[in-house]
Amino acid sequence: MPFFLAAQSISGVVNSYYKVLAINTTTSEAKLSSTTGLHYDDKVLLIQMKGATVNTSNSSSFGTISSAGNAGSYEFAYICAIHNDTVLFRENLINSYDASSYLQLVKVEKFTNVIITDTLKAQTWDASTGTGGVIAIEASGTVTLNSGVSATGSGFVGGTLYNFGPTCAGILPATAYYYDLVPDDYGSGAYKGEGIAATISGKQCGKGKFANGGGGGNNHNSGGAGGANYGSGGNGGNQTGLACNGTNSGIGGVALNSYGYSTGTNRIFMGGGGGAGHENNSQGVGGGNGGGIIIITCSTLDGVSHTIEANGKQPVNATNSPSIYEANGDGAGGGGAGGVIIIDAATISTNVIAEAKGGNGNNSGFLSQCTGPGGGGGGGVVWISAASVPGTLSTNVTGGTNGVVKVAACLNNAQGATAGANGTVLNNYAAPMGVASCSGLAVPVILNFNAVSADAGNKLSWNLSTTEAIKQIAVEKSYNRNQFTGVAILSANNNNYTDRGERNKVYYRLVAITKDGHQYYSDIVMVNERNSNHLVIAPNPVKDNLTVSITGLSQQASFTITDINGRVCFTQHNYISANNFTKNISVKFLSPGMYFLHVITDNSSQTIKFIKQ
């Protein structure tokens, strides 16, 4: 009878996101905000979310991209090793990155066969942490869509709605391309949408575009512009019908089609946020969020007529009536731009719908006031690995429509607001990944590390997965588990060391230093001479049951079995009530091979190698 592997069911947010604090592309290492949840051999996506520089002059050129920098650069890699807060990649990094400009690492969730049972989502982009906005999954077999996949509105954030002073006062006419929030609180420009350039304090408001972020409407009550991605964002509309007309509406975000999206310049971007409408009657609408990024890698994608969407959002004001999508007596917001959908699949079976549409701009108007409508968001990108779009894939990358005025005085008049430009569908996608450079170190370098007390001093012992690539071993110790000092430098062929005369409670760690300068850290182990434990296992080799004996005073113990690649096969915690403790562990479930038993108690950490027959 053939063996069939059951598919795993997933929904919600499955990816994990990590802010990159520092990166060394020469040694293929990245320092992260945390390494919790990351393991050896995990596949990850390294992606630069921002990094562009823009023109900052008070002119129509404000917000024009002068250099894309590293924005949009990305690649896949596998984790070769983890030491403290730093991960080493197996592959040579092929791009340049800047950790100070919103660089993040996303753990790619891998499966054999997977069924999406409820909407699969991206964690919404958060500029304060520099993480989110991306869905990345991989299956060696089939991804089945029993529900949709959505990064709609998960991209760059639309301009924040801000209620200024109650009259059309302030600086009029408000013609500048950027403003801060002015002290008189009447405000001369609403907030711009977010894009691939870092926000500039003091210039975050006003009609000027900001890279692919749409400009905000200027005083009085003009509309915000649409964000951009592959397609440019549409302009916001003007306000007429009052003495203080708002004829300086937001300018649409810059199209990014010349900054990436090709096999030669393989860069991808989240959709830009739309600019907010100018508000002073608590009836305006802010800017819409852009779409995020979705990457699905598999052998077969079974669509079941469900939708993969990374659309820009049409902004809303939940308190507006009769419609939350309409500005009443204030400026309307611009739509967010569509994001990116990448489908790297050999086969697309049944129908799949892929959408990276721009969000619509808002309508506007109240009584006789023809306030400014919002501009439409630009379309995004659907990129597939096939040479042509198969009949089983339906795509939509249209730009969002602009809003219009909904009062009789200028009914259905756009007031200068325009739609977002369309995005595009691309073929022949190839995932960027460097050449593996540490395949000889494809298991943890330090396989195990033990430290026990003896008459002559604390005895340390260890095993390495390789000695050929290792230049030397450094032994370090600490009395507080934080500050470590060097004890000895040994050759790679050494596998033990005695710290003579040491009788204090002390912590040890090893540093394996490779010939090309990489450093691999061991786990930290503790020795307490007064309460040291003696560990024995039997039988070894073992077929069914492993007996573990501990002699010495201790209260807590954790038992973990790992395979040769460092993967955890068994873990359990026990309370020890006697000085002599015996535990039986069934290992019948293990495949034949070499394994390591790690035992951590209150006062020591020890590892013993055993063979499963």
Side-chain angles (χ1 to χ4, degrees):
M1 178 180 293
F3 175 74
F4 297 98
L5 186 64
Q8 185 171 346
S9 298
I10 59 172
S11 62
V13 178
V14 299
N15 293 108
S16 301
Y17 308 86
Y18 303 84
K19 182 177 182 179
V20 178
L21 304 178
I23 189 163
N24 186 329
T25 54
T26 301
T27 58
S28 295
E29 292 177 306
K31 180 179 180 180
L32 307 180
S33 55
S34 168
T35 57
T36 301
L38 293 175
H39 304 90
Y40 162 78
D41 204 37
D42 279 345
K43 187 175 183 178
V44 295
L45 168 67
L46 193 65
I47 181 168
Q48 186 91 50
M49 309 308 290
K50 297 190 181 188
T53 55
V54 298
N55 186 296
T56 58
S57 64
N58 189 12
S59 70
S60 60
S61 296
F62 181 87
T64 301
I65 298 172
S66 52
S67 171
N70 297 316
S73 296
Y74 75 107
E75 61 193 278
F76 295 95
Y78 286 89
I79 292 178
C80 184
I82 302 173
H83 49 86
N84 297 337
D85 58 0
T86 299
V87 296
L88 170 70
F89 303 115
R90 186 183 70 189
E91 289 75 20
N92 290 319
L93 296 181
I94 58 178
N95 294 313
S96 297
Y97 298 100
D98 181 2
S100 66
S101 293
Y102 299 88
L103 177 62
Q104 71 168 323
L105 180 145
V106 182
K107 181 181 176 181
V108 179
E109 291 302 317
K110 297 191 296 181
F111 309 94
T112 302
N113 299 298
V114 63
I115 300 174
I116 298 171
T117 55
D118 199 358
T119 305
L120 186 66
K121 301 177 181 179
Q123 176 182 295
T124 301
W125 167 252
D126 183 351
S128 66
T129 62
T131 58
V134 178
I135 299 172
I137 64 170
E138 178 178 314
S140 57
T142 300
V143 174
T144 302
L145 303 184
N146 282 354
S147 188
V149 181
S150 178
T152 290
S154 299
F156 289 126
V157 177
T160 303
L161 183 64
Y162 185 89
N163 194 53
F164 295 100
T167 64
C168 52
I171 304 170
L172 292 172
T175 60
Y177 292 84
Y178 63 81
Y179 290 101
D180 198 354
L181 291 177
V182 296
D184 64 13
D185 200 37
Y186 291 115
S188 293
Y191 277 101
K192 305 175 189 293
E194 186 185 13
I196 63 171
T199 300
I200 302 174
S201 179
K203 298 183 179 182
Q204 67 270 41
C205 298
K207 68 178 182 178
K209 58 194 176 293
F210 197 69
N212 61 318
N218 277 11
N219 192 0
H220 177 267
N221 293 161
S222 58
N229 196 336
Y230 192 92
S232 58
N235 296 330
N238 298 323
Q239 186 272 146
T240 58
L242 289 176
C244 49
N245 289 341
T247 57
N248 287 274
S249 53
I251 299 172
V254 177
L256 301 178
N257 51 38
S258 61
Y259 296 99
Y261 299 122
S262 69
T263 54
T265 309
N266 192 341
R267 299 191 185 196
I268 55 177
F269 309 94
M270 296 193 302
H278 182 273
E279 176 192 63
N280 72 319
N281 294 308
S282 300
Q283 293 285 300
V285 185
N289 292 352
I293 295 170
I294 300 172
I295 304 175
I296 298 176
T297 305
C298 58
S299 176
T300 300
L301 178 61
D302 188 359
V304 200
S305 296
H306 283 96
T307 300
I308 303 170
E309 60 176 48
N311 299 324
K313 290 282 284 186
Q314 180 178 18
V316 300
N317 184 335
T319 64
N320 279 5
S321 179
S323 173
I324 62 174
Y325 295 100
E326 191 168 300
N328 301 326
D330 280 316
V340 175
I341 297 171
I342 293 173
I343 301 175
D344 190 356
T347 303
I348 299 177
S349 65
T350 71
N351 190 47
V352 178
I353 304 163
E355 295 181 348
K357 302 183 296 184
N360 295 335
N362 294 114
N363 295 333
S364 64
F366 178 71
L367 298 177
S368 62
Q369 298 178 24
C370 302
T371 54
V381 172
V382 174
W383 201 347
I384 63 174
S385 55
S388 60
V389 177
T392 49
L393 178 64
S394 302
T395 62
N396 190 338
V397 291
T398 56
T401 60
N402 56 273
V404 295
V405 180
K406 303 304 290 185
V407 297
C410 35
L411 184 62
N412 295 327
N413 193 335
Q415 300 287 93
T418 57
N422 292 339
T424 194
V425 178
L426 299 173
N427 304 316
N428 300 312
Y429 173 80
M433 179 181 286
V435 177
S437 62
C438 65
S439 57
L441 304 177
V443 295
V445 173
I446 303 172
L447 292 175
N448 57 77
F449 177 40
N450 306 312
V452 296
S453 179
D455 292 339
N458 292 333
K459 288 191 172 183
L460 315 181
S461 61
W462 57 88
N463 292 106
L464 306 180
S465 63
T466 178
T467 57
E468 294 181 4
I470 305 301
K471 179 181 179 181
Q472 57 193 21
I473 298 290
V475 180
E476 299 180 345
K477 73 178 177 181
S478 169
Y479 296 106
N480 60 10
R481 212 176 187 275
N482 293 318
Q483 288 82 32
F484 282 83
T485 57
V487 174
I489 298 292
L490 307 172
S491 71
N493 293 322
N494 283 47
N495 63 0
N496 64 84
Y497 175 78
T498 299
D499 191 9
R500 299 186 180 281
E502 182 62 75
R503 288 291 185 271
N504 296 303
K505 180 178 180 179
V506 63
Y507 301 88
Y508 293 96
R509 71 181 182 187
L510 298 181
V511 187
I513 304 168
T514 65
K515 294 175 182 178
D516 58 1
H518 291 303
Q519 295 184 1
Y520 298 83
Y521 287 76
S522 71
D523 292 332
I524 296 172
V525 299
M526 180 183 70
V527 176
N528 188 342
E529 186 272 337
R530 293 168 294 176
N531 298 310
S532 186
N533 300 308
H534 181 60
L535 176 67
V536 175
I537 64 172
N540 190 8
V542 59
K543 183 177 181 181
D544 295 325
N545 295 293
L546 188 67
T547 300
V548 184
S549 300
I550 303 176
T551 303
L553 179 63
S554 185
Q555 292 183 338
Q556 300 284 342
S558 67
F559 301 85
T560 301
I561 295 175
T562 59
D563 64 14
I564 190 67
N565 291 321
R567 297 180 178 90
V568 175
C569 305
F570 170 89
T571 186
Q572 192 173 88
H573 298 276
N574 286 92
Y575 176 79
I576 300 174
S577 59
N579 288 351
N580 297 314
F581 178 80
T582 300
K583 178 179 179 63
N584 292 317
I585 301 175
S586 174
V587 294
K588 293 179 181 179
F589 68 97
L590 296 177
S591 301
M594 181 186 297
Y595 294 87
F596 299 93
L597 173 68
H598 310 269
V599 180
I600 301 175
T601 68
D602 297 342
N603 47 59
S604 68
S605 174
Q606 300 178 62
T607 300
I608 294 182
K609 178 173 65 177
F610 69 91
I611 303 298
K612 169 64 168 64
Q613 293 180 323

